[in-house]
Structures are given as structure tokens and as C-alpha cells.
């Protein structure tokens, strides 16, 4: 098949890489930007993402680029805090400009064609309305199958359900002291049931941000500084902000919706596959891409069998994680979470809390 993939984030690029490895397809990966490009994201890669990188052959290269994380400074709604430490690297921080480029260019090395600066404006359709390619308004690219992987802003989704969203805003700082190998998460009452964070990116630079209610009428920058100042305190004094504030929406669901139509599949956040509790979408997007590649590998021709098989596999792979994440998100907003987190200094609480943060 000729397969066009719209969006070269972790999902789209992973799909391109895995499909190119199958050697039976002509794979074209498209992105509106030139790489490397900035992406608004905390850039944290959790245990499941590390496992997935190992399974698809990206682990060694990514490890060489990563800042290893062995612990999490957890701050609960009451202000009680503790460092939840691990004996091994449990997570990585890799700036998205680096991470996304590595996967996209890996796909290109595997044989995919990577077209940068191609902004898809419409889907090409045949007389029956089936998708048969894409266009930027100047150049049409025809395809047997289009995979939409352009994230929360997708204009081509067939999912007509009301969009459930989380808002996020973040900034970067030089000169903020932090404990090496430790990221920080603040489950602050101001943004519950979500959280604020401070993630180290280099030996001198951190990113700080919040996930919050998109309907909150307050200025997002003011909310960000309220949460960061309360939980980072004096460490931010004297730090230099690098660049501008950046914000973005996160779309989530607790049930897989329509993700296939004649001529097209949707993966990652374009299919609303994100973690509602943390806003994390990288591992979900990459897993979604692998599910799509496996379905295509077993059904190497466009048609109803492929669309139904991909949908069935996605429902099987994501229903429990999606529901667990929404359940954890709801739990964070309850007095029970506040009570448990107030006991975080006790070792008996730290172990299950560490597991929840890693797996929810």
C-alpha cells in the first residue's frame, strides 16, 4: 500500500518507522513544521514509554540522549511531601524537539519519505466520499491509506462526541536548583484534579508547568506562577525565564470512539488517546501507532476488515488504561486522596503511591 501519515509527532513517526520496516509499503510522513521544532510538552517519558522504546528498537539511542530520572518529589494537596525514589532509572526527560526528530529521522532511515513543511489543508476524497489522499492546497498526494496523527488540533476527526479537554501552560527557566535525577509533581488544590510540575531538561534548565481546567477564568500565567511559587518557592528567585510561555489543549476520553473510516485511520491524540490523569500522550501515541502497524501488517490492503481489526485491537489495548486514568483523575479530586497524600512521609504509603504515579 501507499500510506500517507499526517503528523510527525511520536505517534506518526513511530507508525512510519514500523510500517517502513514491513518493507511492503510506500510510506510518506508529513509535517507542517521543519525539524527539529519546539513542542509544548513536559518531555517526560515514563516506565511504559521506556519499555515500548525497548520493544521497537529505540531504547539505546534514546537512552544516550536522556536525562535519567530515579525519583519524584511528590507534594500533596495538604503540602505534605516526600521524594519517592527508585533504585533504577524509572523515567527519562528528553526535550520533544530532540525526541520527535530522532523517531522521524529513524523512520526516514528505514525507508519512509519524510516531507517537512507540508501543511495538510484538506483530505482528498473519491466520488463515494472515501479518503484517497491529502492536499496542502498546492500539491495533492494520493494514497491507499491515510493515517491522521496530528494531535488534539486534528481537523479531520470523525469522532463527533463532545471534546473533553485539559488545558496546559508551561515555561522554561535557567538557574533553578534541583536535585539531580528527581522530577517534581505538585498536586496543588488550585488546579485539582490535575497538577503542576518541575522537570529538569539539562544540568541547568528546567521546565515548569500546570495542567488545569480550561474553563478557569483566571489568567493562565497567574495560575502557573501561583502553583509554581507555592511549591518551588525561593528556588525560582534569580532564575531566568527562557523564551515565552507556551500553552496547549489536551483532549482525552475514557472510551475509544470512531477511529477508522474508508481510507483512513486515526492514532494517538487525534484519536483522543491520552492519559486524563497526567495529560501524558507520548506513550499512548506510540502504542497506538504500533497497534495500527500490526493491524496493517496482518491486513495489508485497505478495506473494512482492516478498519474493524484496527478498531478492535485499539479498544482491547486502550479501554482499561483510559478508564483507569479517568478514575485516578477523579480520585485526585476527592478528600480521600488528600488524606492519603498527607501521609506520604510514611513508607507504607510511598510504595503504593509510587506505583500509582507510574501506572495510572
Amino acid at each position: 500500500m501507499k500510506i500517507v501519515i499526517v503528523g510527525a509527532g511520536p505517534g506518526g513517526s513511530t507508525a512510519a518507522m514500523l510500517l517502513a520496516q514491513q518493507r511492503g509499503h510506500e510510506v510518506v510522513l508529513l509535517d507542517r513544521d521543519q525539524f527539529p521544532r519546539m513542542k509544548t510538552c513536559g518531555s517526560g517519558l515514563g516506565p511504559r514509554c521506556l519499555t515500548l522504546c525497548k520493544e521497537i528498537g529505540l531504547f539505546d539511542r534514546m537512552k544516550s540522549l536522556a536525562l535519567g530520572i530515579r525519583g519524584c518529589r511528590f507534594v500533596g494537596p495538604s503540602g505534605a511531601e516526600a521524594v519517592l525514589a527508585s533504585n533504577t532509572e524509572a523515567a527519562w526527560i528528553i526535550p520533544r524537539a530532540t525526541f520527535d526528530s530522532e523517531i522521524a529521522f529513524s523512520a526516514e532511515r528505514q525507508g519512509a519519505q519524510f516531507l517537512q513543511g507540508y501543511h495538510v489543508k484538506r483530505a482528498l476524497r473519491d466520488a463515494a466520499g472515501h479518503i484517497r489522499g491529502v492536499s496542502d492546497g498546492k500539491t495533492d498526494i494520493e494514497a491507499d491509506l491515510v493515517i491522521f496523527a496530528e494531535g488534539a488540533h486534528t481537523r479531520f476527526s470523525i469522532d463527533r462526541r463532545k471534546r473533553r479537554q485539559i488545558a496546559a501552560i508551561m515555561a522554561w527557566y535557567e538557574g533553578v536548583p534541583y536535585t539531580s535525577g528527581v522530577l517534581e509533581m505538585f498536586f496543588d488544590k488550585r488546579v485539582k484534579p490535575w497538577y503542576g510540575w518541575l522537570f529538569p531538561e539539562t544540568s541547568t534548565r528546567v521546565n515548569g508547568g500546570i495542567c488545569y481546567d480550561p474553563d478557569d477564568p483566571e489568567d493562565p500565567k497567574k495560575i502557573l506562577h501561583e502553583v509554581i511559587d507555592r511549591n518551588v518557592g525561593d528556588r525560582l528567585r534569580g532564575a531566568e525565564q527562557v523564551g515565552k510561555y507556551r500553552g496547549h489543549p489536551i483532549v482525552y476520553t475514557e472510551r475509544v470512539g470512531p477511529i477508522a473510516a474508508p481510507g483512513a485511520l486515526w492514532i494517538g491524540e487525534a484519536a483522543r488517546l491520552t492519559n486524563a490523569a497526567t495529560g501524558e500522550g507520548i506513550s499512548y501515541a506510540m502504542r497506538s501507532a504500533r497497534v495500527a502497524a500490526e493491524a496493517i501488517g496482518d491486513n495489508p490492503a485497505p478495506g473494512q476488515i482492516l478498519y474493524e481489526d484496527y478498531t478492535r485491537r485499539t479498544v482491547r489495548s486502550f479501554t482499561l488504561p483510559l478508564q483507569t486514568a479517568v478514575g485516578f483523575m477523579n480520585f485526585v479530586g476527592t478528600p480521600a486522596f488528600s488524606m492519603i497524600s498527607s501521609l506520604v512521609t510514611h513508607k507504607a504509603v510511598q510504595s503504593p503511591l509510587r506505583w500509582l504515579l507510574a501506572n495510572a
Side-chain angles (χ1 to χ4, degrees):
M1 281 192 287
K2 181 174 181 180
I3 304 172
V4 167
I5 302 168
V6 182
S13 294
T14 297
M17 183 185 76
L18 296 176
L19 289 167
Q21 290 172 353
Q22 292 181 9
R23 304 301 180 194
H25 311 294
E26 179 186 352
V27 180
V28 182
L29 177 64
L30 308 174
D31 201 277
R32 64 188 296 175
D33 293 320
Q34 297 288 334
F35 279 50
R37 54 92 172 94
M38 173 68 75
K39 189 70 175 178
T40 307
C41 180
S43 301
L45 308 172
R48 289 177 176 170
C49 194
L50 271 60
T51 298
L52 183 56
C53 284
K54 188 172 295 185
E55 291 170 351
I56 64 177
L58 292 172
F59 186 88
D60 291 340
R61 175 57 179 160
M62 292 301 182
K63 181 177 175 60
S64 70
L65 301 169
L67 187 67
I69 299 298
R70 294 174 176 268
C72 171
R73 176 186 172 233
F74 171 91
V75 182
S78 68
E81 66 174 86
V83 174
L84 309 177
S86 171
N87 293 326
T88 59
E89 281 188 0
W92 292 339
I93 304 292
I94 305 177
R96 284 289 300 276
T98 300
F99 185 74
D100 291 10
S101 295
E102 283 297 320
I103 310 177
F105 291 125
S106 177
E108 191 174 50
R109 289 191 294 271
Q110 294 289 344
Q113 182 182 7
F114 183 24
L115 298 182
Q116 303 174 58
Y118 186 100
H119 183 190
V120 174
K121 294 184 178 178
R122 66 184 179 92
L124 304 177
R125 297 180 183 272
D126 63 17
H130 298 171
I131 293 174
R132 291 292 179 260
V134 295
S135 176
D136 66 351
K138 299 177 181 178
T139 304
D140 295 348
I141 303 177
E142 296 184 349
D144 298 306
L145 182 70
V146 177
I147 297 177
F148 290 104
E150 73 275 43
H153 296 288
T154 181
R155 297 160 50 205
F156 305 101
S157 173
I158 56 171
D159 192 337
R160 301 303 176 218
R161 295 176 298 171
K162 183 179 179 180
R163 288 161 61 93
R164 302 172 69 182
Q165 295 190 38
I166 308 166
I169 184 173
M170 60 185 297
W172 287 260
Y173 301 92
E174 288 278 356
V176 179
Y178 67 86
T179 302
S180 178
V182 175
L183 58 78
E184 304 182 36
M185 298 178 72
F186 328 118
F187 286 84
D188 194 283
K189 291 181 179 180
R190 180 63 183 82
V191 292
K192 73 175 184 180
W194 295 292
Y195 66 103
W197 71 83
L198 194 76
F199 286 3
E201 288 189 353
T202 71
S203 59
T204 61
R205 180 175 296 188
V206 300
N207 70 64
I210 54 171
C211 290
Y212 65 98
D213 185 345
D215 294 326
D216 193 314
E218 189 70 81
D219 180 350
K221 294 190 288 292
K222 184 175 180 180
I223 305 173
L224 170 64
H225 281 288
E226 179 184 340
V227 173
I228 294 294
D229 290 350
R230 181 159 45 242
N231 292 282
V232 178
D234 291 344
R235 284 189 291 151
L236 205 61
R237 293 179 183 172
E240 178 185 357
Q241 183 173 339
V242 181
K244 299 179 180 180
Y245 297 96
R246 293 176 68 94
H248 66 104
I250 300 165
V251 180
Y252 71 93
T253 184
E254 59 185 320
R255 177 178 58 83
V256 176
I259 53 171
L265 306 178
W266 283 259
I267 67 173
E269 195 169 4
R272 308 190 187 187
L273 302 178
T274 59
N275 188 311
T278 65
E280 193 272 330
I282 297 174
S283 66
Y284 280 55
M286 294 174 72
R287 289 173 58 201
S288 173
R290 185 169 67 169
V291 170
E294 289 172 348
I296 293 168
D298 290 341
N299 304 276
Q304 196 62 28
I305 295 176
L306 168 60
Y307 311 140
E308 291 178 355
D309 187 36
Y310 168 61
T311 299
R312 184 167 50 249
R313 292 176 190 234
T314 303
V315 169
R316 184 170 61 243
S317 298
F318 284 93
T319 295
L320 181 59
L322 291 173
Q323 292 180 349
T324 300
V326 171
F328 184 69
M329 176 190 73
N330 292 333
F331 173 59
V332 169
T334 67
F337 178 79
S338 297
M339 181 189 71
I340 292 171
S341 63
S342 69
L343 303 174
V344 71
T345 55
H346 298 269
K347 292 186 179 297
V349 172
Q350 291 179 6
S351 181
L353 190 56
R354 182 169 54 243
W355 185 90
L356 274 174
L357 292 175
N359 293 280

